[in-house]
């Protein structure tokens, strides 16, 4: 008979189940309240910029497996890019299931089916999540700090960046040290592969952030921000949403943080920013379809060869 889950797991599930519908309802109400302003913004759309935002996000879904490829190498495991590309993209619809964890769960299950030992996966996902947070928060904090009038807030952001960026470089030693304190076995990370995974993560987030910048630039009536500032604001607000474990996919949190950092009416901005989620949804579905046909074509070629 299995033990009941810890109390905090139950509280987290309750928080997620309550926060998500409340966030959606709040955003829907804000959209309703700001309807005329949002109509003016969306009427000013440039479809060329929107298409660029779409293409960049689709491209990011085929770039992401390169991070996994290098992270598995860092953890002394091997897998092919084709397998990792298929695993990442075939599980994209799971991102939109309640709970916000099912894309990772689906990937983990598929990694096991490809022969990755179960013992390698906890270290892999710890490293992946550390790298996600450290890169996004480390890079964006210093840029967002330059946009702030509040000296204390800017100082905290600069300090965050100065702490996280060097931490990325010493992470392999830090992981081994912490594992020793906890008396856990951990593989010694292959340092060159770790550095390659850092570079791939930076490239990946550059593409994603530029997708958001293209979305903002697409609307003449949207907040007047240069591409670097809007990219940094998205990266920063996405990370705050990501680490808000009670908010699956950071829904509501990301929009609120980004609206706070932009100038303009908060309600209108939240509605406008939620529109980017719809573009991401369309991009993810397109990535899933492209991957499906690539996989179908590849399997067909193998069968013809056999």
């Amino acid at each position: 008979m299995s033990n009941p889950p810890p109390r905090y797991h139950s509280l987290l599930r309750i928080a997620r189940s309550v926060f998500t519908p409340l966030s959606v309802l709040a955003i829907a109400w804000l959209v309703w309240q700001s309807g005329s302003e949002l109509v003016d913004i969306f009427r000013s759309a440039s479809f060329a910029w929107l298409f660029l935002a779409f293409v960049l996000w689709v491209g990011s879904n085929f770039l992401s497996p390169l991070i996994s490829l290098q992270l598995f190498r860092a953890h002394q495991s091997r897998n092919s890019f084709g397998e990792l590309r298929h695993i990442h993209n075939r599980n994209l619809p799971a991102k939109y299931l309640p709970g916000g964890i099912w894309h990772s769960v689906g990937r983990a299950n598929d990694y096991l089916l490809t022969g990755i030992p179960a013992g390698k996966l906890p270290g892999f996902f710890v490293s992946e999540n550390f790298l996600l947070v450290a890169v996004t928060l480390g890079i964006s904090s210093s840029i967002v700090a330059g946009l702030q009038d509040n000296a204390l807030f800017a100082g905290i952001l600069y300090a965050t960046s100065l702490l996280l960026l060097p931490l990325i470089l010493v992470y392999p030693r830090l992981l081994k040290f912490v594992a020793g304190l906890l008396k856990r076995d951990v593989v010694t990370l292959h340092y060159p592969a770790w550095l390659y995974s850092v570079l791939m993560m930076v490239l990946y987030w550059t593409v994603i952030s530029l997708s958001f910048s293209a979305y903002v630039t697409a609307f003449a009536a949207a907040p007047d921000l240069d591409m670097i500032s809007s990219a940094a604001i998205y990266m920063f607000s996405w990370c705050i949403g990501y680490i808000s474990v009670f908010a699956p996919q950071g829904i509501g949190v990301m929009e609120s943080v980004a609206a706070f950092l932009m100038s303009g009416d908060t309600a209108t901005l939240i509605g406008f920013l939620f529109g980017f989620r719809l573009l991401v949804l369309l991009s993810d579905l397109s990535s899933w379809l492209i991957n499906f046909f690539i996989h179908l074509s590849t399997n067909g070629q193998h069968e013809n060869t056999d």
Side-chain angles (χ1 to χ4, degrees):
M1 187 174 180
S2 60
N3 294 324
R7 181 174 296 177
Y8 73 89
H9 285 169
S10 300
L11 291 174
L12 183 57
R13 281 199 299 271
I14 293 170
R16 283 176 168 172
S17 62
V18 170
F19 186 84
T20 302
L22 285 179
S23 294
V24 172
L25 286 173
I27 290 171
W29 181 78
L30 291 172
V31 168
W32 176 260
Q33 291 291 105
S34 308
S36 59
E37 291 86 353
L38 288 173
V39 167
D40 290 340
I41 290 175
F42 290 125
R43 275 179 179 168
S44 68
S46 162
F47 288 99
W49 280 103
L50 283 176
F51 183 69
L52 177 60
F54 167 80
V55 169
L56 286 169
W57 194 279
V58 169
S60 75
N61 281 323
F62 291 87
L63 184 60
S64 178
L66 288 174
I67 304 169
S68 302
L69 183 71
Q70 295 301 330
L71 276 177
F72 273 124
R73 287 179 178 174
H75 283 269
Q76 315 292 341
S77 293
R78 295 279 174 175
N79 218 325
S80 72
F81 172 76
E83 285 179 324
L84 295 173
R85 180 262 306 155
H86 179 57
I87 288 170
H88 174 83
N89 286 284
R90 79 184 291 269
N91 285 291
L92 282 175
K95 280 174 59 177
Y96 300 94
L97 294 175
I101 63 169
W102 300 111
H103 184 248
S104 293
V105 170
R107 287 165 56 215
N109 183 64
D110 285 349
Y111 292 152
L112 293 174
L113 294 177
T114 64
I116 297 291
K120 299 278 188 183
L121 293 183
F124 168 82
F125 280 109
V126 167
S127 297
E128 183 183 63
N129 282 281
F130 167 80
L131 196 54
L132 263 174
V133 173
V135 166
T136 54
L137 203 55
I139 293 174
S140 64
S141 292
S142 58
I143 301 173
V144 171
L147 304 174
Q148 303 307 307
D149 296 325
N150 187 309
L152 177 60
F153 184 41
I156 293 171
L157 292 176
Y158 279 127
T160 300
S161 185
L162 288 172
L163 172 67
L164 287 175
L165 293 178
L167 204 57
I168 293 172
L169 299 178
V170 300
Y171 172 79
R173 288 186 177 275
L174 181 64
L175 180 64
K176 196 168 185 178
F177 174 74
V178 173
L181 290 179
L182 298 175
K183 297 180 179 179
R184 298 283 181 88
D185 292 329
V186 66
V187 68
T188 300
L189 292 189
H190 185 251
Y191 198 68
W194 170 252
L195 292 180
Y196 276 123
S197 66
V198 174
L199 290 174
M200 289 299 101
M201 184 67 80
V202 171
L203 178 59
Y204 170 75
W205 270 99
T206 299
V207 172
I208 277 187
S209 299
L210 287 176
S211 173
F212 178 76
S213 294
Y215 172 78
V216 174
T217 306
F219 301 96
D224 185 19
L225 287 168
D226 62 86
M227 294 195 77
I228 293 177
S229 297
S230 58
I233 287 172
Y234 179 73
M235 200 183 292
F236 181 83
S237 57
W238 179 92
C239 185
I240 299 302
Y242 183 74
I243 61 180
S244 302
V245 293
F246 56 87
Q249 291 194 56
I251 188 168
V253 176
M254 186 281 286
E255 288 83 1
S256 299
V257 173
F260 170 77
L261 295 172
M262 293 176 170
S263 58
D265 178 69
T266 300
T268 304
L269 283 173
I270 288 176
F272 169 68
L273 293 165
F274 191 75
F276 185 63
R277 284 193 184 269
L278 301 180
L279 185 141
V280 170
L281 171 61
L282 178 63
S283 302
D284 283 344
L285 290 175
S286 300
S287 299
W288 181 86
L289 279 172
I290 292 168
N291 177 72
F292 174 79
F293 286 114
I294 290 173
H295 189 67
L296 201 65
S297 172
T298 304
N299 280 356
Q301 288 175 3
H302 289 165
E303 289 175 4
N304 290 337
T305 302
D306 294 341

